[in-house]
Amino acid sequence: GRRWPHAIDPCVFYDEEGKLWMSYGSWSGGIWILQLNEETGLRNYDVAYPSTNGDTDGVTSDPYFGKKIAGGFYSSGEGSYIEYIGGYYFLFVSNGGLAAGGDANDYNNGGYQMRVFRSTAPNGPYLDPSGRSAVLTAYELNFGAKNASTRGENIFGAYGDWGNMSDGERSQGHNSIIAADDGRTYLVYHTRFQNGGEGHQVRVHQVFQNQNGWLVAAPFEYTGEKVTSADIAETQQVPARNIPGTYRFLRHKYGLDHTKKELATPVNITLEPGGKVTGAYTGSWSTVEGTSYITVTIAGVKYDGVAVEQVMESKTADANSMFYATESNKVITFTAMATSGVTVWGQQVEAIATDISDVTPSPSASSRTVYDMLGRKVSTAGREDALKPGVYIVGGKKHVVK
């Protein structure tokens, strides 16, 4: 019913203090959590859970079921998974129906989608990027085109025409998230396909934390890339001079109409050398020097993420084929998230030569020619001191004049 949880979909994990926990439940009364005995694996009966609003559908704690950490009121949500990553416990929940969709007469057929929340404690409270609680106070329709709720980060949803895809992915979910001993974090999930019926396969994407500590998924399947989570914060995986170019830009919006098998598809934008974004959308972009952090602002919405190189799959699977990848398919990508929870991906398809080999402070007098960021000559020998504030190219290096 609306009040109590189903006893399915358990996720057992240790917290950073060595305590053992289990989250469980689906739809109905939401996702709940109990502390377990580290020696027996059974419930730890030394931990009590007082009854809170126990005589209503808004119950959040119960002596038998434990503590509610997400959902309730028969809103969709199942397959919880909790992992400690970079200072936070992240809660993944899959909303919607796990089928491929396409049935106009059955709204619960399809719309499966992963949503993400985080907390500084293993038992919550779990919040989304805009600060909303994962625990509901009333029923919410939280998937599909009739979506009244955008609660939880939409790490990605149904998408197609991406990279070398021959068939789009859809109804991704019921995932695991693994902070592995190799210093990387992996998102493991199952997906159906746009033209594959109910056949499904397992996929793995590497996941990074943006500058605000939120998780963003690499745009392509993991194929052995060596970059670690620490590398993102400490090194610039893509030199600034290599970022300008034309990109396929994919926005993972909420509210896809699964009854019509709607999926997100990319458009072309250009990240100009001077920091502007042009093309199907306009805006700006910038990086944080010495890190892999990138910010892309599109139509006034700021997306914070990371820029990395990936080996693009040379053949994207449908329900009956496999992935293959080669080093020659390496491309520059970015993945980013807005505080609304919407995520975006970018894949560079054409680079723009900038003649920038490094970034240095404001130039002193020299005999080299000065160019603007569009490659136009703006000064000759000895005239750097007359430049207006801005960014210029001198001797193949980017110079900032303040």
Side-chain angles (χ1 to χ4, degrees):
R2 293 161 52 90
R3 188 172 302 181
W4 306 116
H6 288 303
I8 64 172
D9 293 350
C11 171
V12 177
F13 67 99
Y14 286 98
D15 68 16
E16 290 301 285
E17 297 179 354
K19 296 177 182 178
L20 189 62
W21 299 84
M22 180 181 73
S23 65
Y24 70 98
S26 77
W27 291 61
S28 294
I31 307 298
W32 293 62
I33 196 167
L34 289 165
Q35 191 172 330
L36 304 182
N37 183 300
E38 293 97 65
E39 295 183 0
T40 67
L42 302 176
R43 177 174 178 161
N44 186 340
Y45 284 98
D46 292 333
V47 179
Y49 302 89
S51 178
T52 304
N53 300 322
D55 57 348
T56 71
D57 291 343
V59 58
T60 55
S61 181
D62 178 77
Y64 179 75
F65 290 107
K67 181 182 178 181
K68 184 192 292 184
I69 58 173
F73 297 90
Y74 214 82
S75 298
S76 77
E78 64 185 26
S80 66
Y81 204 97
I82 297 173
E83 184 80 335
Y84 184 81
I85 306 167
Y88 297 95
Y89 294 91
F90 284 91
L91 167 65
F92 279 70
V93 179
S94 294
N95 292 351
L98 59 78
D103 186 347
N105 298 315
D106 184 359
Y107 193 80
N108 289 335
N109 182 296
Y112 218 43
Q113 189 178 75
M114 295 171 283
R115 300 286 179 92
V116 187
F117 304 84
R118 75 181 185 187
S119 174
T120 55
N123 60 344
Y126 284 93
L127 306 177
D128 74 2
S130 61
R132 292 172 295 186
S133 174
V135 176
L136 302 182
T137 58
Y139 171 78
E140 287 185 359
L141 180 62
N142 55 13
F143 67 100
K146 299 178 182 178
N147 190 359
S149 169
T150 57
R151 193 181 302 263
E153 176 195 355
N154 176 22
I155 196 161
F156 58 83
Y159 66 95
D161 191 25
W162 183 244
N164 293 323
M165 296 184 84
S166 59
D167 198 6
E169 286 191 11
R170 63 179 311 100
S171 296
Q172 307 100 318
H174 216 298
N175 67 285
S176 302
I177 182 78
I178 303 168
D181 292 339
D182 64 5
R184 302 175 184 89
T185 301
Y186 302 96
L187 177 62
V188 185
Y189 63 96
H190 65 63
T191 181
R192 285 165 169 76
F193 299 92
Q194 186 72 2
N195 300 302
E198 295 306 321
H200 65 277
Q201 295 183 9
V202 174
R203 291 287 179 268
V204 181
H205 284 236
Q206 193 170 353
V207 173
F208 309 106
Q209 283 182 283
N210 69 10
Q211 196 171 6
N212 302 316
W214 279 98
L215 301 180
V216 288
F220 296 106
E221 183 185 3
Y222 179 72
T223 54
E225 290 87 355
K226 302 301 183 183
V227 59
T228 66
S229 299
D231 291 335
I232 296 299
E234 299 170 359
T235 64
Q236 194 156 4
Q237 291 292 305
V238 181
R241 66 182 180 275
N242 294 345
I243 292 179
T246 299
Y247 285 75
R248 298 283 277 163
F249 177 79
L250 186 65
R251 180 176 179 269
H252 294 287
K253 69 174 186 177
Y254 296 93
L256 292 174
D257 189 348
H258 60 280
T259 67
K260 298 178 180 178
K261 300 189 79 170
E262 182 185 6
L263 74 175
T265 56
V267 297
N268 284 355
I269 63 171
T270 298
L271 272 57
E272 302 285 356
K276 291 185 178 180
V277 174
T278 59
Y281 295 106
T282 59
S284 62
W285 68 275
S286 63
T287 60
V288 178
E289 187 177 354
T291 77
S292 295
Y293 298 131
I294 187 170
T295 296
V296 182
T297 301
I298 300 290
V301 178
K302 186 174 76 167
Y303 299 89
D304 294 310
V306 303
V308 294
E309 283 190 322
Q310 280 198 274
V311 176
M312 186 171 63
E313 308 95 350
S314 58
K315 181 179 181 182
T316 300
D318 56 25
N320 300 303
S321 63
M322 297 298 294
F323 278 105
Y324 301 94
T326 64
E327 188 70 15
S328 63
N329 289 326
K330 184 176 288 188
V331 294
I332 293 172
T333 69
F334 65 80
T335 173
M337 185 202 74
T339 55
S340 64
V342 173
T343 56
V344 295
W345 289 346
Q347 171 212 344
Q348 191 185 82
V349 293
E350 184 178 0
I352 295 177
T354 62
D355 195 31
I356 299 171
S357 60
D358 200 358
V359 178
T360 66
S362 300
S364 57
S366 77
S367 61
R368 292 174 292 184
T369 304
V370 178
Y371 299 89
D372 67 14
M373 293 300 291
L374 295 178
R376 298 172 298 194
K377 185 185 296 186
V378 295
S379 176
T380 55
R383 297 296 301 162
E384 289 92 331
D385 56 347
L387 294 174
K388 296 179 180 179
V391 181
Y392 301 90
I393 301 170
V394 182
K397 295 183 178 182
K398 183 189 289 185
H399 291 278
V400 180
V401 176
K402 297 182 179 180

